[in-house]
Every structure is written in structure tokens, then in C-alpha cells.
Amino acid sequence: MPEVRLTSNKMIKVEDLQFQYPNSDVKTLKGLSFSIERGEVFGFLGPSGAGKSTAQKVLYKILQGYTGRIEIEGKDLKDWGKDYFSKIGVGFELPNHYLKLTGRENLALFGSFYPNSAIKDIRELFEMVELQDAMDKPVEAYSKGMKMRLNFIRAIQHNPDILFFDEPTSGLDPVNAQKIRNHILDLKANGKTIFVTTHSMHTADELCDRVSFIVDGELRATDSPQTLKDQYGKEEVRVELKSGEIKEFALPSIGENQAFIDFLKSGEVSHIHTLEASLDEVFIQITGQTLHV
Amino acid sequence: MKNIITLSVADFKLIFRDPSLRSFLGLPILLFALVIWLLPYLAQTYPGFEPYISVFMVVAAVENTQMFSFISSMVLIDEKENSVAQVYGVVPLSNSEYLLSRLAIPYLFTVCLNVILFIVQPFYHIGLIENISVSMLVGLIVPVYVIGINSIVKNRMQGMVYIKAFNLIVLAPIAAFFIPGKWEWIFGLLPSHWVFQSIQNLTNGEEVWMNLLIGFVFLMIMFLLLSRHFLKKHFN
Ligand SMILES: Nc1ncnc2c1ncn2[C@@H]1O[C@H](COP(=O)(O)OP(=O)(O)OP(=O)(O)O)[C@@H](O)[C@H]1O
Ligand SMILES: [Mg+2]
């Protein structure tokens, strides 16, 4: 029977990616393999120094000299010319702007390298992250969080298909961090392919369709956050009574579990919670390391 | 073309908003004042001064290059130091477009300054073709200097030190005018020597093309080698 070839839906495909900084004597990336589907939010979750930023820098071609194979839309990364950069948007890990230029001038300067038709309305972008009042102030007068929000809108201003966000919420207060996460979900809803790095399990949990655990330049597990949690947590519910008595019950068909119902009636309930593992706990179980040092 | 203009406008904003860079824009005014007023006065007052006028012209023309050598070096060091350079690495702009858009205006501006300098100086009759040709060579010091500095230094502090050293290196072949005979060829190892010699040819009414050609080839080769090194590290 002839093989049916489906057009691949892989936006990014990475095989055995290895990378070593010229001034370092160990490999920072020791053979990463993963792929990202079109329209997917994919994440690297790992502790500081794991190689998350390095991997992204290789993918957006700031670092050269890797080994292994990288394909973007089926085409070798090395064969992409400068049109690759119209296709991608990069949210850098740290703020990087001209301090003497205003936010608007910074955005317009880097926006000028893309075709005019692609560029989003600059005021709307600033309003999106509530920087409209700071638009015409020099960036040296911005706080760290404001600069990070400027990083975010610079990355998306030319409406790219693929987005790299390196710790998109670092340095942000909880309210603004949540807003950025919501914007990332909006981008996904618009069909964008998104690659985020984070050491926050909340970010990974909330944003990522699939997440890879990365430790010491190696990937240890790749799956959806839910699947990972299901594998390592218990499908049980723990009930605690005011009397201090505690019992655990299996979740499947718990409504018909007479012992569970009887226990609920036997006294006043103080806590009920499922024994689902947090991503943090799964991470420790799989990698033997903690996310936070 | 659009990129060159946008980037140059941004560069000028950066220059005008930074007091330490802005003040350097005054350097050519000072040089023009010296050449138009002070030198003729000195030449008139001290008769022994006359033979040195051409050396002063060399210094003035080279100092004109130091304005943008300094300013553009600092702009690039700054953008590297606070990582804005990375952003240029992820926009659709090729390496040569980047170099052109950062260096074309400083180069052309410097060339214009020297063309004007050679026109307004009151001492020599200089043909326009020779004037423009030599000014185009002198201007090449700017991109070589800027890319050279930025291939070496990592931050503003280092930048200041190396800029002082580079200024000395650029000016060192002046000594050739005071050292008699064969030894002046030692300075031929520095590209600015050939620039100086061609300026002197110009003021002495001599044939300029030989020194011009050597200088051009020398500086272009240096520029190509240095820019390869620079491009490898500037964006990461
Ligand atoms: N320019 C560099 N030269 C040499 N080694 C580097 C360089 N940049 C990073 N490294 C090393 O590579 C390793 C991975 O760094 P990387 O920045 O990719 O980690 P990360 O996972 O992004 O960490 P973080 O969460 O702190 O951002 C670290 O051990 C780091 O010291
Ligand atoms: Mg990082």
C-alpha cells in the first residue's frame, strides 16, 4: 500500500541539538529533541542555568555553531534567509531598549525594518499593556516591569507567526504578569505558534499545551501539564474532618462510593482536596531537582 | 534606503540627547576656526611657520574624522552594553545593511567636512577631483576606527581607554614628517600613514594617486577583516 504523506503540521522540529559556548569547556545543550506544532504553546520549564535561553537563542539565530538539525516549517534553519526574521518575534529575557529614546521611538525604530502593512497600530500596542501614558517618555524613566512590557509589544508588533518568549513575566507584578499570560493565550487563539521558557510552574501550567522539563541541557520529559500531573499524582480525594480524622477515596465513580458518602456524614468536614500533584512536585520526581534554587 | 534614513535619524537623536556625545559635534567648528583664522595669523606673524602649514592641514583633516569616530564608537558600545544590539540580530536586516545604515552617514558627513575644509583653507590651490578623492580616503578612517574599537571593547569604560589609544595610533604617522629619510616607511605599517601622505601630496600640489590607492586598499582590507570579527559578536 502506498504511504500517504500528510503535510506536516510541525512548525518547529529540533533533533539532537547540541551547543557549546566558545568560551566554555562543557556543552550547554546536550542533545535536545522536540517539536512544536503550528498553533501550539510549547514551554521549557527548568531551573536557572538549565539552558532554556541558550536553546531559544540558537533557534532565533543569535547563537551560531550548533550541531543537530533544526527545521522551521520543514526547511532547515540554515537555509532560511532574512525572511525568517519577518516570521518570528522575540521577547527577550531582559529589557533591551535605547534608554535615550522614548518607548514609541524604540518601537517605531525596530518596526521600520518590517513591511509597513504588517505593523500593528502603535497606540493600541501601548494600550494593550497599559503603557500609553509612558509612550513619549524616554525608556530610562521606565521601571523594570515597564521595560519588560515594552519588550513584549516589540516582539508582537509585526504580527509574526512564531513567537519566542523568554521568561515573559519575570520582573512583573502579579496583575501585569496575568495580563501578559492572557495576551499570550490570545495570540494562541489567533493561531500563533509560541515557545516560552519559564521556571514558574504556574506559567507553564496555565499557558502550555505541552511542556518539556529541562535540566543541565537535557530534556527529561515532554507532555501536557495535565498528563504529567496525572501520571505522578494520585487520582484520589482527601477528606479531613474537624475531629482531625482523615480518609482518602478513589476519584472514579466517587458519587457511588458509599464509604465516601458515609464519611462525609460522619462529622463536620474541614477540608476536601484532590491529591493531584503540582507541576513542581512532578518536576522533582522526574528530574530529582527543584525548580527554585 | 528607508532603513538607512530611519536608523540615522535615531542615531542623531541618541547623539543629541547625550551631552557627552553632543559636545563632540562642536569639534569641526573649532578646527575650521583654527584653519581659517589662527593658522594664517601664525603664518604671518612667524615666518618660520610656513613649512609646517601642510602638517597642520593633515592634523586638521584627521581630527575631522575623530568626531564621528568617537561618537559612532560610543553609540555602538552603548547599544552592545545594554543589549539593544541583540534586537538587530532578530530583525530582517542583513549584516551589510546594518553596517551601511550605521556607518554611511558618519562616513559621508566626514567626507563633506574635509571637502569643505580643503576648499575654505586659504593656503593652497586644490583641484576639486583631487579634493574629493582624498577626502573620501580620509573619511574611511571613521568606519575602520568604529568597527575596530567595537571589535575589542566590552563596555563604555574600556571604550574610553581604547579610544585614547586609537587616537594616538591614528596620529602616530605624523612623526614621519619630522623623521628624515628612510625611517618614515616604518609608519607605512599604519594605514593612516598613507592617508597623511596623500593629504600632503594634495597640499604640495603633487600627484596623489599612488598614496591614495595604497591607503584605499589598506583601509578597505582592514575594514573587511574587522567587520567579520565585529559581526560575529555584536548581536549576541
Ligand atoms: N555567553 C555565555 N558564555 C558562556 N556560558 C554561558 C553564556 N551564556 C550562558 N552560559 C551558560 O550556559 C548555561 C545555560 O544558560 P542559560 O542562560 O541558557 O540558562 P537558563 O536556563 O536560561 O537560565 P535562567 O533561568 O537563569 O535564565 C549556564 O550554565 C550559563 O552559565
Ligand atoms: Mg534564561
Side-chain angles (χ1 to χ4, degrees), chain B residues 26-38:
Chain B
L27 183 65
I29 299 174
L30 198 72
L31 286 167
F32 275 85
L34 285 179
V35 169
I36 298 174
W37 290 301
L38 187 68

Side-chain angles (χ1 to χ4, degrees), chain A residues 202-273:
Chain A
H202 293 295
T203 303
D205 221 348
E206 187 180 340
L207 289 182
C208 297
D209 297 308
R210 286 183 311 129
V211 58
S212 273
F213 290 168
I214 177 169
V215 171
D216 291 336
E218 291 175 61
L219 299 185
R220 297 289 171 77
T222 303
D223 224 319
S224 75
Q226 194 58 50
T227 311
L228 288 165
K229 287 185 292 188
D230 289 348
Q231 272 169 8
Y232 288 85
K234 288 198 273 185
E235 273 190 88
E236 287 181 357
V237 57
R238 173 178 290 168
V239 182
E240 189 176 342
L241 300 182
K242 284 239 164 96
S243 64
E245 201 180 348
I246 296 173
K247 275 192 181 174
E248 286 163 11
F249 302 92
L251 275 174
S253 50
I254 194 170
E256 281 122 56
N257 184 339
Q258 198 55 46
F260 172 66
I261 294 164
D262 290 345
F263 187 66
L264 288 182
K265 289 179 179 164
S266 69
E268 222 171 316
V269 178
S270 66
H271 293 105
I272 299 183
H273 57 93

Side-chain angles (χ1 to χ4, degrees), chain A residues 129-191:
Chain A
V129 292
E130 285 179 50
L131 280 180
Q132 64 274 25
D133 296 336
M135 254 177 114
D136 294 311
K137 292 197 177 117
V139 173
E140 60 189 347
Y142 283 28
S143 70
K144 162 106 194 287
M146 291 162 80
K147 289 178 191 158
M148 278 309 282
R149 283 181 273 156
L150 189 59
N151 270 26
F152 182 80
I153 56 177
R154 185 180 60 201
I156 64 173
Q157 69 166 331
H158 55 290
N159 198 19
D161 293 337
I162 303 175
L163 283 149
F164 296 94
F165 292 120
D166 197 352
E167 315 258 5
T169 56
S170 79
L172 295 186
D173 60 281
V175 175
N176 276 305
Q178 187 57 49
K179 279 188 191 144
I180 293 291
R181 285 196 290 270
N182 293 343
H183 287 314
I184 293 178
L185 291 173
D186 285 346
L187 290 164
K188 171 188 147 89
N190 284 321

